Amino acid sequence: MLSSRVQLLQRSVQSFQLALFRRSVLAPLGMAALIGTTGSLWLTEALIMPKAASAYTARLDLYLTHEQGEDYDSFLRRAEMAARAGAQRSFDQDLLITEVTINVVAESDGLSVTVLTLKVDRRQWQQHPETNYWATYYSSARLWLSPSAAELAQ
């Protein structure tokens, strides 16, 4: 009778130890298998359909000094060349840039006035890399940069 109780107790202890073993060894293995499966599913998704690359707009403000006695048309050509160089440099330096916005600001005798804004995306620029094609010109800049406006500002 006593030996049957001891055997029953031994079986109970063995089943308890087996349950502990299952929880301590097999549960983490199951968790590892779950994580491994999830990781492989994520990797498969990333290979089949990679995430879209981040793209952004480069913004640049260029300040040019309007020289005393410089006529507006020659200044405007200088502003266009600066904007063109800025756009090309921006696209060349960073492949993720999809669009460039450049403001060319003239400074003259304490006045600052926006002369042109160049806004162009990479595809457009590759097809036609000319400032005057994509730029917005501000006609009021001619008035502000004229000799009479400089006299008024002083």
Side-chain angles (χ1 to χ4, degrees):
M1 175 111 169
L2 184 59
S3 70
S4 65
R5 286 187 179 182
V6 170
Q7 287 176 350
L8 183 61
L9 185 59
Q10 283 178 344
R11 282 188 212 139
S12 296
V13 168
Q14 286 175 349
S15 65
F16 179 72
Q17 287 175 340
L18 183 61
L20 282 179
F21 175 76
R22 286 180 182 160
R23 286 186 185 157
S24 63
V25 173
L26 297 180
L29 289 177
M31 184 62 75
L34 178 66
I35 291 172
T37 304
T38 305
S40 64
L41 287 175
W42 173 83
L43 182 60
T44 303
E45 178 187 339
L47 290 174
I48 293 171
M49 190 174 69
K51 302 290 183 213
S54 297
Y56 58 94
T57 299
R59 300 185 196 289
L60 182 63
D61 292 326
L62 300 176
Y63 294 89
L64 301 177
T65 302
H66 182 252
E67 301 297 330
Q68 195 72 2
E70 181 180 26
D71 69 332
Y72 182 76
D73 291 329
S74 62
F75 176 78
L76 190 59
R77 281 192 300 274
R78 200 160 49 101
E80 288 173 338
M81 288 188 302
R84 184 182 194 287
Q88 190 64 52
R89 186 172 43 247
S90 295
F91 285 129
D92 289 345
Q93 286 179 348
D94 193 343
L95 295 176
L96 293 179
I97 291 176
T98 56
E99 186 176 78
V100 171
T101 301
I102 297 176
N103 293 312
V104 179
V105 179
E107 294 183 330
S108 176
D109 296 325
L111 291 174
S112 294
V113 60
T114 303
V115 177
L116 66 89
T117 299
L118 174 65
K119 186 173 183 178
V120 62
D121 67 34
R122 184 180 294 273
R123 185 185 50 77
Q124 291 169 333
W125 189 255
Q126 288 171 345
Q127 290 174 354
H128 199 82
E130 293 298 323
T131 304
N132 58 358
Y133 198 78
W134 305 109
T136 301
Y137 295 88
Y138 302 102
S139 58
S140 60
R142 182 183 294 271
L143 298 172
W144 284 106
L145 295 174
S146 68
S148 59
E151 291 171 4
L152 292 173
Q154 293 177 353

